Structure formats: structure tokens, C-alpha cells
Amino acid sequence: MLLSLGALIVAAVVGILVWSQVGVMAAEPEPLAAVRADERIAITDDSAGIVLSPAEGASDTGLVFIPGAKVDPWAYAATLADVVAEDKVTVVITKPWLNLAFFDLRGLDAFTALAPEVSTWIVGGHSLGGVRACQLAEDADALALFASYCATDIAETDLPVLSLAGSEDGLSTPEKIADARPLLPDDAEMVEIDGASHASFGAYGPQAGDGTPTITDDEMAARLADELDAFAAQDLG
């Protein structure tokens, strides 16, 4: 009996390991190459995460960004490039264990330690990465949701929250985000980006079940930078 149970456990673990590596949505090569060539952005590749920081000038504000399920962390570099280059925000894109944020038990400090010069931290994430960000929000100065919503009730906190949705999102639909609105503080900023789909929040190509975007990648990157800039301009600390 014990041998059979052990075999089942081993088989389950192996199955999860294999599943987590199959179907990972890769970063589109051209947008990523553009970020690597951008002299305004300094890139540090660490085992815990990818750090994108302004090449010139101090950065007081940082964003720990948690990828969606089975999306290559590098797929968000191009979408968040303007946040770094234009807003002067340091971005740490985490590398979740097994490509799934729910399996990653590290605390927020495992990622903020990659940019010790930053004094104010926003934690955020895309899709399921945003759900994980909600769980880490108590250790951050603010929360930003990208096509995501909380499963954790933070309604009674005084945490500044920015929720960004896409009008064409077929996965984290505007309706699902609205349904989860009561879990956020009353003063949470709820923004719907016209023309954005679920995959518009990254640069990894179309995603099954998603809607069709009518906003370009460049327009999306600029819009995210504008929204994050206005949000970070508040007294988050």
C-alpha cells in the first residue's frame, strides 16, 4: 500500500513538472530585441527575476511584476519598457517557480532585494500573477492589477490599488473584474483600456480564449506607462 501511494505521489509530481513546462508562451523575439537594444534601459538577469531599470537617473519607485500562468517572464519586458524608460520606475519581473505564481512561495523581499536603491514598491501582476500579487500586497506600498483581480479580501486596508482591465479581454473579462470589485478598497482606481485584450498586457502573441485587440502594442505600452506614472505620482509611501 505504501509503495503504491509513493508511486502515485511521484507520478503526480512528475506530471506537474512536465505540465508546467509544456505550452509556455514565449516572448516575441522582435519586441524583446528592441528592449535589449534600448540604451535607456539597463537589464540585469537574475535567477529570481529580470530587473529593468533606468540607465540614467535614480529610481525611487519600483514595480515587482508577477507573470501570468505559463508565460515567459521576458514576454513582459517590451510592454513595460515605457514604464522604465519614460516613468523612471524600476521593474522586477519575477521568474515564478514552475512557471506558475501559485507554486512560488517566496516573499516580496526576495524580489525587492534585487533593487535595494528603491524605497517605494508597487506589487502587481498579470492574470493569475495578479492574484498572487494580492497575497503579497500587505508587504508592499501599493498594488497594481493587470487584467486580473484579487481572490484575497483587502477591502478594509488603506492600500492604494490600480486595476487595469481590457475592453476586449476574453479571459479576465471586465465582468469578472467587476464581480471581484468588492474585495478591493473603496478608493481603488478602476481603469478599462479600450481595445486591449488579455494578451495585450504582454508580448507573447495571441492566447486561446482571448478577444481580438484593436489597440497596437506601442499604444498599449504607452497607455500602461501613463497609467502607472499617474498612479506612482501619488504618495504611495
Side-chain angles (χ1 to χ4, degrees), residues 68-101:
K70 299 174 76 171
V71 179
D72 181 353
W74 286 103
Y76 297 98
T79 312
L80 297 171
D82 284 355
V83 173
V84 181
E86 302 293 339
D87 298 349
K88 304 301 181 184
V89 171
T90 293
V91 175
V92 178
I93 306 172
T94 72
K95 295 180 178 178
W97 293 343
L98 300 179
N99 297 307
L100 294 165

CSV table of all heavy atoms in Angstrom, one decimal, residues 68-101:
chain,number,residue,atom,x,y,z
A,68,GLY,N,1.8,36.1,-15.7
A,68,GLY,CA,0.6,35.2,-15.8
A,68,GLY,C,1.1,33.7,-15.9
A,68,GLY,O,2.3,33.4,-16.1
A,69,ALA,N,0.2,32.8,-15.7
A,69,ALA,CA,0.5,31.4,-15.7
A,69,ALA,C,1.1,30.9,-17.0
A,69,ALA,O,0.5,31.2,-18.1
A,69,ALA,CB,-0.8,30.6,-15.4
A,70,LYS,N,2.2,30.3,-17.0
A,70,LYS,CA,2.9,29.7,-18.1
A,70,LYS,C,3.2,30.7,-19.2
A,70,LYS,O,3.1,30.5,-20.4
A,70,LYS,CB,2.1,28.5,-18.6
A,70,LYS,CG,2.0,27.4,-17.6
A,70,LYS,CD,1.1,26.3,-18.1
A,70,LYS,CE,1.8,25.4,-19.1
A,70,LYS,NZ,1.0,24.2,-19.4
A,71,VAL,N,3.6,32.0,-18.8
A,71,VAL,CA,4.0,33.0,-19.7
A,71,VAL,C,5.5,33.3,-19.4
A,71,VAL,O,5.8,33.5,-18.2
A,71,VAL,CB,3.2,34.3,-19.6
A,71,VAL,CG1,3.7,35.3,-20.6
A,71,VAL,CG2,1.7,34.0,-19.9
A,72,ASP,N,6.3,33.3,-20.4
A,72,ASP,CA,7.7,33.6,-20.2
A,72,ASP,C,7.9,35.0,-19.6
A,72,ASP,O,7.3,36.0,-20.2
A,72,ASP,CB,8.4,33.5,-21.6
A,72,ASP,CG,9.9,33.8,-21.6
A,72,ASP,OD1,10.4,34.2,-20.5
A,72,ASP,OD2,10.5,33.7,-22.6
A,73,PRO,N,8.6,35.1,-18.5
A,73,PRO,CA,8.8,36.5,-17.9
A,73,PRO,C,9.3,37.5,-18.9
A,73,PRO,O,8.9,38.7,-18.8
A,73,PRO,CB,9.8,36.2,-16.8
A,73,PRO,CG,9.6,34.8,-16.4
A,73,PRO,CD,9.3,34.1,-17.7
A,74,TRP,N,10.2,37.1,-19.8
A,74,TRP,CA,10.7,38.1,-20.8
A,74,TRP,C,9.6,38.6,-21.7
A,74,TRP,O,9.8,39.7,-22.3
A,74,TRP,CB,11.8,37.4,-21.6
A,74,TRP,CG,13.1,37.1,-20.9
A,74,TRP,CD1,13.5,36.0,-20.4
A,74,TRP,CD2,14.1,38.1,-20.6
A,74,TRP,NE1,14.7,36.1,-19.8
A,74,TRP,CE2,15.1,37.5,-19.9
A,74,TRP,CE3,14.2,39.5,-20.9
A,74,TRP,CZ2,16.3,38.1,-19.5
A,74,TRP,CZ3,15.3,40.1,-20.4
A,74,TRP,CH2,16.4,39.5,-19.7
A,75,ALA,N,8.5,38.0,-21.8
A,75,ALA,CA,7.4,38.4,-22.6
A,75,ALA,C,6.8,39.8,-22.2
A,75,ALA,O,6.0,40.4,-22.9
A,75,ALA,CB,6.3,37.4,-22.7
A,76,TYR,N,7.1,40.2,-20.9
A,76,TYR,CA,6.6,41.4,-20.4
A,76,TYR,C,7.5,42.6,-20.5
A,76,TYR,O,7.2,43.7,-20.2
A,76,TYR,CB,6.1,41.3,-19.0
A,76,TYR,CG,5.0,40.3,-18.8
A,76,TYR,CD1,5.3,38.9,-18.4
A,76,TYR,CD2,3.7,40.6,-19.0
A,76,TYR,CE1,4.2,38.0,-18.3
A,76,TYR,CE2,2.7,39.7,-18.9
A,76,TYR,CZ,2.9,38.4,-18.5
A,76,TYR,OH,1.9,37.5,-18.4
A,77,ALA,N,8.8,42.3,-20.9
A,77,ALA,CA,9.8,43.4,-21.0
A,77,ALA,C,9.4,44.5,-21.9
A,77,ALA,O,9.5,45.7,-21.6
A,77,ALA,CB,11.1,42.8,-21.4
A,78,ALA,N,8.9,44.2,-23.1
A,78,ALA,CA,8.6,45.2,-24.1
A,78,ALA,C,7.3,46.0,-23.7
A,78,ALA,O,7.3,47.2,-23.9
A,78,ALA,CB,8.3,44.5,-25.5
A,79,THR,N,6.4,45.3,-23.1
A,79,THR,CA,5.1,46.0,-22.7
A,79,THR,C,5.4,47.0,-21.5
A,79,THR,O,4.7,48.0,-21.4
A,79,THR,CB,4.1,45.0,-22.2
A,79,THR,OG1,4.0,43.9,-23.2
A,79,THR,CG2,2.7,45.6,-22.1
A,80,LEU,N,6.4,46.7,-20.7
A,80,LEU,CA,6.7,47.5,-19.5
A,80,LEU,C,7.9,48.4,-19.8
A,80,LEU,O,8.3,49.2,-18.9
A,80,LEU,CB,7.0,46.6,-18.3
A,80,LEU,CG,5.8,45.8,-17.8
A,80,LEU,CD1,6.3,44.8,-16.8
A,80,LEU,CD2,4.7,46.7,-17.3
A,81,ALA,N,8.4,48.4,-21.0
A,81,ALA,CA,9.6,49.2,-21.3
A,81,ALA,C,9.4,50.7,-21.1
A,81,ALA,O,10.3,51.4,-20.6
A,81,ALA,CB,10.1,48.9,-22.7
A,82,ASP,N,8.3,51.2,-21.5
A,82,ASP,CA,8.0,52.6,-21.3
A,82,ASP,C,7.8,53.0,-19.9
A,82,ASP,O,8.1,54.2,-19.5
A,82,ASP,CB,6.7,53.1,-22.1
A,82,ASP,CG,7.0,53.2,-23.6
A,82,ASP,OD1,8.1,53.0,-24.0
A,82,ASP,OD2,6.0,53.4,-24.3
A,83,VAL,N,7.4,52.1,-19.0
A,83,VAL,CA,7.3,52.4,-17.6
A,83,VAL,C,8.7,52.6,-17.1
A,83,VAL,O,8.9,53.5,-16.2
A,83,VAL,CB,6.7,51.2,-16.9
A,83,VAL,CG1,6.7,51.3,-15.4
A,83,VAL,CG2,5.2,51.0,-17.3
A,84,VAL,N,9.7,51.9,-17.6
A,84,VAL,CA,11.1,52.1,-17.1
A,84,VAL,C,11.7,53.3,-17.8
A,84,VAL,O,12.2,54.2,-17.1
A,84,VAL,CB,11.9,50.9,-17.5
A,84,VAL,CG1,13.3,51.0,-17.0
A,84,VAL,CG2,11.3,49.6,-16.9
A,85,ALA,N,11.6,53.4,-19.1
A,85,ALA,CA,12.3,54.5,-19.8
A,85,ALA,C,11.7,55.8,-19.7
A,85,ALA,O,12.4,56.9,-19.6
A,85,ALA,CB,12.3,54.1,-21.3
A,86,GLU,N,10.3,55.9,-19.6
A,86,GLU,CA,9.6,57.2,-19.5
A,86,GLU,C,9.3,57.6,-18.1
A,86,GLU,O,9.4,58.7,-17.7
A,86,GLU,CB,8.3,57.1,-20.4
A,86,GLU,CG,8.6,56.8,-21.8
A,86,GLU,CD,9.3,57.9,-22.6
A,86,GLU,OE1,9.3,59.0,-22.1
A,86,GLU,OE2,9.9,57.6,-23.6
A,87,ASP,N,8.8,56.6,-17.3
A,87,ASP,CA,8.4,56.9,-15.9
A,87,ASP,C,9.5,56.8,-14.9
A,87,ASP,O,9.4,57.3,-13.8
A,87,ASP,CB,7.3,55.9,-15.5
A,87,ASP,CG,6.1,56.0,-16.3
A,87,ASP,OD1,5.9,57.0,-17.1
A,87,ASP,OD2,5.2,55.2,-16.2
A,88,LYS,N,10.7,56.3,-15.3
A,88,LYS,CA,11.8,56.1,-14.4
A,88,LYS,C,11.5,55.2,-13.2
A,88,LYS,O,11.9,55.4,-12.1
A,88,LYS,CB,12.4,57.4,-13.9
A,88,LYS,CG,12.7,58.4,-15.0
A,88,LYS,CD,13.8,57.8,-16.0
A,88,LYS,CE,14.2,58.8,-17.0
A,88,LYS,NZ,15.1,58.3,-18.0
A,89,VAL,N,10.7,54.1,-13.5
A,89,VAL,CA,10.3,53.2,-12.5
A,89,VAL,C,11.2,51.9,-12.7
A,89,VAL,O,11.2,51.4,-13.9
A,89,VAL,CB,8.8,52.8,-12.6
A,89,VAL,CG1,8.5,51.6,-11.7
A,89,VAL,CG2,8.0,54.0,-12.2
A,90,THR,N,11.8,51.4,-11.7
A,90,THR,CA,12.5,50.1,-11.8
A,90,THR,C,11.5,49.0,-11.8
A,90,THR,O,10.6,48.9,-10.9
A,90,THR,CB,13.5,49.9,-10.7
A,90,THR,OG1,14.5,50.9,-10.8
A,90,THR,CG2,14.1,48.5,-10.7
A,91,VAL,N,11.6,48.1,-12.7
A,91,VAL,CA,10.6,46.9,-12.8
A,91,VAL,C,11.4,45.6,-12.6
A,91,VAL,O,12.4,45.4,-13.2
A,91,VAL,CB,9.9,46.9,-14.2
A,91,VAL,CG1,9.1,45.6,-14.3
A,91,VAL,CG2,9.1,48.1,-14.4
A,92,VAL,N,10.9,44.8,-11.6
A,92,VAL,CA,11.4,43.5,-11.4
A,92,VAL,C,10.4,42.5,-11.9
A,92,VAL,O,9.3,42.4,-11.2
A,92,VAL,CB,11.8,43.3,-9.9
A,92,VAL,CG1,12.3,41.8,-9.7
A,92,VAL,CG2,12.8,44.3,-9.4
A,93,ILE,N,10.6,41.8,-13.0
A,93,ILE,CA,9.7,40.8,-13.5
A,93,ILE,C,10.2,39.4,-12.8
A,93,ILE,O,11.3,39.0,-13.1
A,93,ILE,CB,9.8,40.7,-15.0
A,93,ILE,CG1,9.5,42.1,-15.6
A,93,ILE,CG2,8.7,39.7,-15.5
A,93,ILE,CD1,9.7,42.1,-17.1
A,94,THR,N,9.3,38.9,-12.0
A,94,THR,CA,9.7,37.7,-11.3
A,94,THR,C,9.8,36.4,-12.2
A,94,THR,O,9.1,36.4,-13.3
A,94,THR,CB,8.7,37.4,-10.1
A,94,THR,OG1,7.5,36.9,-10.7
A,94,THR,CG2,8.5,38.6,-9.3
A,95,LYS,N,10.5,35.5,-11.8
A,95,LYS,CA,10.6,34.2,-12.5
A,95,LYS,C,9.9,33.1,-11.6
A,95,LYS,O,10.6,32.5,-10.8
A,95,LYS,CB,12.0,33.8,-12.8
A,95,LYS,CG,12.7,34.7,-13.8
A,95,LYS,CD,14.2,34.3,-14.0
A,95,LYS,CE,14.9,35.2,-15.0
A,95,LYS,NZ,16.3,34.8,-15.2
A,96,PRO,N,8.6,33.0,-11.7
A,96,PRO,CA,7.9,32.0,-10.8
A,96,PRO,C,8.4,30.6,-11.0
A,96,PRO,O,8.7,30.1,-12.0
A,96,PRO,CB,6.4,32.2,-11.3
A,96,PRO,CG,6.4,33.5,-12.0
A,96,PRO,CD,7.7,33.6,-12.7
A,97,TRP,N,8.4,29.9,-9.8
A,97,TRP,CA,8.7,28.5,-9.8
A,97,TRP,C,7.7,27.8,-10.7
A,97,TRP,O,6.5,28.0,-10.6
A,97,TRP,CB,8.7,27.9,-8.4
A,97,TRP,CG,9.7,28.5,-7.5
A,97,TRP,CD1,10.9,29.1,-7.9
A,97,TRP,CD2,9.8,28.4,-6.1
A,97,TRP,NE1,11.6,29.5,-6.8
A,97,TRP,CE2,11.0,29.1,-5.7
A,97,TRP,CE3,8.9,27.9,-5.1
A,97,TRP,CZ2,11.3,29.2,-4.3
A,97,TRP,CZ3,9.2,28.0,-3.8
A,97,TRP,CH2,10.4,28.7,-3.4
A,98,LEU,N,8.2,26.9,-11.5
A,98,LEU,CA,7.4,26.0,-12.4
A,98,LEU,C,6.5,26.9,-13.3
A,98,LEU,O,5.5,26.4,-13.8
A,98,LEU,CB,6.5,25.1,-11.6
A,98,LEU,CG,7.3,24.1,-10.7
A,98,LEU,CD1,6.3,23.2,-9.9
A,98,LEU,CD2,8.2,23.2,-11.5
A,99,ASN,N,6.9,28.1,-13.6
A,99,ASN,CA,6.1,29.0,-14.5
A,99,ASN,C,4.7,29.3,-14.0
A,99,ASN,O,3.8,29.7,-14.7
A,99,ASN,CB,6.0,28.4,-15.9
A,99,ASN,CG,7.4,28.3,-16.5
A,99,ASN,OD1,8.1,29.2,-16.6
A,99,ASN,ND2,7.7,27.1,-17.0
A,100,LEU,N,4.5,29.1,-12.7
A,100,LEU,CA,3.2,29.3,-12.1
A,100,LEU,C,3.3,30.0,-10.7
A,100,LEU,O,3.9,29.5,-9.8
A,100,LEU,CB,2.4,28.0,-11.8
A,100,LEU,CG,2.0,27.2,-13.1
A,100,LEU,CD1,1.7,25.8,-12.8
A,100,LEU,CD2,0.9,27.9,-13.8
A,101,ALA,N,2.8,31.2,-10.6
A,101,ALA,CA,3.0,32.0,-9.4
A,101,ALA,C,2.5,31.3,-8.2
A,101,ALA,O,3.0,31.6,-7.1
A,101,ALA,CB,2.2,33.4,-9.6
